[in-house]
């Protein structure tokens, strides 16, 4: 596909009004949510100077996924997607307003982060599963590429600019801006068409008896789990998406400590020098997959992404290790260690996009319409449940043995998985 053709396909997707409103809503909602999380992480590290404390904010944000991920995914499959999206944005705006009164109170930060995460569990399975209702199947890769581009662009804005925003405007003004962004997101998603196969309005659901709701919820949960268990392709896509999200969360948790103790730069600049290159790589990679990579088998893209990610993590840890040795002091290598590390973080992000876009497209193509919300609910629950452990353990180990060693062992695990996947065969899609 030539460049003109690729741009033409992107423009066709954006010309679909329903998708366009959903996309604009995603932009403002994701910028607000990602910036909020990184700002709170920086506030905590500034007060405690502890990687463990920063990991705690990710733990608090992840716990609701375990408690409510499956439930939320099951419920939103049956509800009006537009009202769910509007309600989630408005409620999260209210929570951000609550932070204005207590911008540096650790207990309040943890509590409102927890409540915000609960609401987000209902937002996630209402957003991405709406895409197939709005976009023809032949444009799903392009639509998911745009969604990945926007998600990680907002992650870039949130992670890269959270430090400078916090330094220039202060926590209170940043929180005011983020609350306004959530309200703007609610306005845009209010124009998204409702899916036609929802069974209940929110008011109808409230009118049902608790016993009925419990039994229907339990039945739908069992149905969703059985559905995934019978489809290896969906299992593989869910596992890959879980891995990409865990990696980003882990880098976010380790970022302030890596900047402070390894790169020896201001903590507020950690997002610029660490998460920034990663997200930039993801953004450019997502655009490439959407334009050129759609002609390569997903299994090949995914395998390449896993191997490159593992090698990048190992290389980052080795560059850091060598640059900190005595014989490298005041040498050219020592001076080049920072730009080398930034390039490797960029490559790591690019590799991540080779997994994210194909896996999302597989998940949407291979699942039935009324199952997509449940699948994304399972993804959120898995990331919050299984995935939160590496983040918390990674933060603890970084304080004990060092950030560099944690990245080295993580790279070994990822690279070893790529070997196993290659040897025993990938899921063909």
């Amino acid at each position: 596909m030539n460049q003109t053709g690729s741009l033409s396909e992107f423009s066709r997707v954006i010309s679909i009004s329903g998708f366009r409103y959903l996309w604009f809503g995603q932009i403002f909602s994701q910028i607000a949510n990602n910036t909020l999380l990184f700002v709170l992480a920086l506030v905590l590290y500034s007060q405690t100077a502890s990687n463990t404390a920063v990991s705690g904010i990710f733990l608090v944000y992840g716990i609701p996924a375990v408690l409510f991920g499956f439930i939320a995914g099951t419920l939103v499959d049956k509800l009006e997607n537009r009202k769910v999206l509007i309600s989630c944005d408005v409620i999260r705006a209210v929570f951000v307003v609550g932070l204005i009164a207590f911008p540096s109170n650790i207990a309040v930060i943890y509590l409102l982060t927890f409540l915000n995460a609960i609401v987000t569990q209902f937002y996630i399975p209402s957003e991405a599963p709406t895409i197939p209702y709005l976009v023809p199947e032949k444009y799903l890769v392009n639509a998911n590429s745009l969604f990945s581009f926007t998600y990680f662009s907002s992650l870039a804005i949130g992670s890269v600019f959270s430090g400078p925003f916090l330094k220039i405007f202060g926590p209170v003004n940043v929180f005011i801006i983020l609350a306004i962004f959530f309200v703007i997101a609610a306005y845009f998603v209010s124009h998204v068409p409702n899916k036609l196969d929802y069974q209940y309005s929110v008011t109808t659901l409230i009118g049902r008896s608790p016993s009925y709701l419990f039994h229907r919820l339990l039945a739908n949960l069992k149905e969703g789990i059985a559905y995934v268990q019978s489809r290896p392709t969906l299992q593989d896509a869910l596992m890959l998406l879980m891995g990409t999200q865990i990696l980003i969360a882990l880098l976010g948790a380790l970022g302030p400590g890596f900047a402070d103790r390894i790169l020896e730069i201001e903590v507020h600049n950690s997002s610029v020098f660490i998460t920034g290159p990663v997200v930039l790589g993801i953004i450019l990679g997502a655009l490439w997959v959407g334009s050129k990579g759609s002609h390569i088998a997903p299994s090949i893209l995914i395998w390449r992404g896993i191997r490159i990610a593992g090698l990048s993590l190992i290389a980052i840890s080795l560059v850091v290790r060598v640059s900190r040795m005595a014989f490298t002091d005041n040498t050219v290598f020592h001076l080049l260690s920072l730009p080398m590390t930034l390039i490797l973080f960029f490559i790591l992000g690019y590799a991540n996009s080779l997994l994210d876009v194909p896996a999302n497209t597989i998940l949407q193509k291979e699942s039935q319409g009324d199952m997509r919300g449940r699948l994304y609910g399972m993804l959120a629950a898995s990331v919050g449940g299984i995935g939160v452990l590496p983040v918390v353990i990674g933060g603890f180990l970084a304080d004990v043995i060092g950030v560099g060693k944690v990245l080295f062992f993580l790279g070994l695990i990822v690279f070893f998985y790529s070997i196993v996947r290659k040897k025993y065969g990938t899921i063909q899609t």
Side-chain angles (χ1 to χ4, degrees):
M1 181 185 298
N2 56 40
Q3 186 175 3
T4 303
S6 302
L7 293 175
S8 177
E9 290 186 356
F10 280 129
S11 65
R12 288 194 188 99
V13 173
I14 297 174
S15 68
I16 301 172
S17 61
F19 175 81
R20 187 170 62 251
Y21 282 119
L22 181 68
W23 186 41
F24 287 166
Q26 183 210 23
I27 292 172
F28 283 92
S29 178
Q30 292 290 358
I31 288 176
N33 209 45
N34 286 318
T35 303
L36 177 63
L37 194 58
F38 282 102
V39 164
L40 294 179
L42 289 173
V43 169
L44 286 173
Y45 190 83
S46 297
Q47 294 185 38
T48 64
S50 169
N51 286 297
T52 304
V54 176
S55 296
I57 199 72
F58 289 94
L59 173 63
V60 169
Y61 191 78
I63 288 176
V66 183
L67 301 177
F68 302 102
F70 284 110
I71 296 173
T74 301
L75 284 177
V76 298
D77 268 337
K78 310 298 181 183
L79 296 174
E80 301 166 277
N81 56 312
R82 180 173 58 197
K83 289 187 177 179
V84 173
L85 292 171
I86 296 171
S87 299
C88 289
D89 282 328
V90 171
I91 293 172
R92 290 188 293 182
V94 173
F95 289 153
V96 176
V97 171
L99 287 168
I100 295 174
F102 306 95
S104 58
N105 187 299
I106 295 177
V108 172
I109 288 174
Y110 280 135
L111 174 61
L112 290 180
T113 299
F114 180 80
L115 296 175
N116 175 61
I118 293 176
V119 176
T120 301
Q121 298 315 305
F122 290 86
Y123 188 89
I124 293 172
S126 297
E127 186 184 45
T130 303
I131 296 177
Y133 292 99
L134 306 174
V135 178
E137 183 174 324
K138 65 178 179 178
Y139 294 131
L140 273 182
V141 172
N142 306 99
N144 278 296
S145 177
L146 281 174
F147 245 61
S148 291
F149 166 77
T150 305
Y151 173 79
F152 290 110
S153 295
S154 65
L155 188 62
I157 293 172
S159 61
V160 173
F161 293 105
S162 57
F165 284 168
L166 192 59
K167 192 173 183 179
I168 295 172
F169 300 109
V172 172
N173 289 325
V174 172
F175 293 148
I176 292 173
I177 294 171
L178 298 183
I180 293 172
F181 271 41
F182 275 125
V183 173
I184 294 174
Y187 165 77
F188 280 121
V189 296
S190 69
H191 291 79
V192 175
N194 262 324
K195 61 184 182 182
L196 300 177
D197 58 350
Y198 73 88
Q199 297 180 11
Y200 306 111
S201 66
V202 175
T203 53
T204 301
L205 193 64
I206 294 175
R208 296 285 186 174
S209 69
S211 176
Y212 172 85
L213 292 176
F214 175 78
H215 286 95
R216 290 303 306 155
L217 181 63
L218 186 61
N220 281 302
L221 281 173
K222 291 180 179 178
E223 183 183 5
I225 293 172
Y227 184 78
V228 173
Q229 288 178 338
S230 65
R231 289 163 174 80
T233 301
L234 291 178
Q235 295 174 31
D236 190 56
L238 283 170
M239 184 184 69
L240 291 168
L241 289 171
M242 181 177 69
T244 61
Q245 293 187 26
I246 291 172
L247 179 60
I248 297 298
L250 185 56
L251 290 175
L254 297 179
F258 191 91
D260 182 28
R261 301 173 188 178
I262 303 299
L263 299 180
E264 298 178 349
I265 59 178
E266 285 189 36
V267 173
H268 285 91
N269 293 327
S270 64
S271 56
V272 176
F273 289 99
I274 299 172
T275 316
V278 173
V279 175
L280 179 61
I282 294 173
I283 292 170
L284 296 181
L287 291 177
W288 180 84
V289 173
S291 60
K292 303 293 180 64
S294 58
H295 295 281
I296 301 175
S299 57
I300 296 176
L301 285 174
I302 289 168
W303 177 79
R304 288 176 181 173
I306 296 171
R307 172 154 290 196
I308 295 172
L311 290 173
S312 299
L313 287 167
I314 294 172
I316 291 169
S317 65
L318 293 178
V319 169
V320 171
R321 177 66 176 173
V322 174
S323 68
R324 294 175 67 84
M325 291 180 178
F327 70 85
T328 62
D329 287 346
N330 300 318
T331 64
V332 174
F333 186 87
H334 184 75
L335 295 175
L336 292 177
S337 61
L338 177 57
M340 289 174 64
T341 303
L342 299 185
I343 292 172
L344 289 170
F345 274 126
F346 172 84
I347 295 173
L348 175 62
Y350 191 90
N352 194 81
S353 69
L354 301 183
L355 282 71
D356 183 81
V357 176
N360 262 307
T361 304
I362 291 169
L363 200 63
Q364 293 171 9
K365 280 186 176 180
E366 298 295 324
S367 59
Q368 297 175 359
D370 63 349
M371 282 289 180
R372 293 191 186 106
R374 268 172 275 188
L375 293 180
Y376 277 89
M378 290 179 189
L379 174 62
S382 299
V383 172
I386 301 172
V388 77
L389 293 177
V391 175
V392 175
I393 293 173
F396 172 76
L397 290 177
D399 287 332
V400 176
I401 65 175
V403 180
K405 292 185 178 66
V406 172
L407 293 178
F408 177 75
F409 287 118
L410 177 62
L412 283 181
I413 293 171
V414 174
F415 183 72
F416 177 74
Y417 173 66
S418 74
I419 295 175
V420 173
R421 189 179 179 93
K422 181 72 171 179
K423 181 176 180 180
Y424 293 103
T426 59
I427 302 296
Q428 298 299 320
T429 55

